[in-house]
Amino acid sequence: MAPAGLLIFVFIIAPFLLSLGLSFTNQRLVPNPNLPTSFQGFSNYLRLFGNAEFWQSFRNTFTFALLVVPLQSALALGAAMLVNSRLPARNVFRGIFFLPTVLTMVVVVVIWSNLFQINGFFNAVIQAVTFGAHPGFDWLANPALAMPSIVLVSVWQGFGFQMVIYLAGLQGINPELYEAARVDGASRWQEFWAVTMPGLRNTHIFVVVTTTILALKLFAQVDLLTKGGPLGSTQTVVRLIYETGFRKGQVGVAAALSVVFFLVVLAISVGQRVFLKEDREVA
């Protein structure tokens, strides 16, 4: 077996098959002599599909992805275009924009949890703008604001990675295309749509696919900032798997949830690759 095939089997196929097998049992994290492991059929799946928390976690996860992917990609593209221009000290800006990406999520959460506090920076700005008429918000305890707050944290922390990818894509566009566009009298906006965007097609595909996968596995921000609350408004599928398997000890149910989520993410990834076909140069 080739090394690549071996890695795929060890890290993808084997864990999936193990989870699939466990999903048909009542396996528990801590073995119980009075409750031996036995075959349960599709009962774990039926239990999931009838669980309101299961559906809510899926809605929250996909809402997060639908918000993060376009926002983070757009911010990354804008930052890449900025540092790719003849900006003074552009290398300094590249480092500043990329800095959040190298920070651990624990550090990021500490920074942003202070900003989100009742007496934190955001509420101080609101009070200053309204001249004290509005006290601000309890950002992480409000069901309507908790998810947007996590989206903001995630976009800030992750856009530097996509910026580097877009920067490489921008530097791969032939400068003669821009010169030809200027000769034809194209404006900067027309250059962007006629030269930059088509030239970044393959880069767009890579960024969208990878960002979507990263967004769907949201866990750390939620677990550290809101614990899935308030009222389950930020509970995600990955965190529900963790809680079900490790805190409740229901390994069989967690395995069933993992199988369902894996198949959904796989379908989305394959669908994106099918509909967003890359342009390949022909020699």
Side-chain angles (χ1 to χ4, degrees), residues 127-141:
Q127 292 173 12
V129 171
T130 61
F131 300 100
H134 197 292
F137 303 97
D138 194 353
W139 299 90
L140 300 177

Side-chain angles (χ1 to χ4, degrees), residues 63-78:
T63 297
F64 175 83
L66 288 173
L67 292 173
V68 163
V69 173
L71 288 175
Q72 190 163 299
S73 300
L75 181 60
L77 177 58

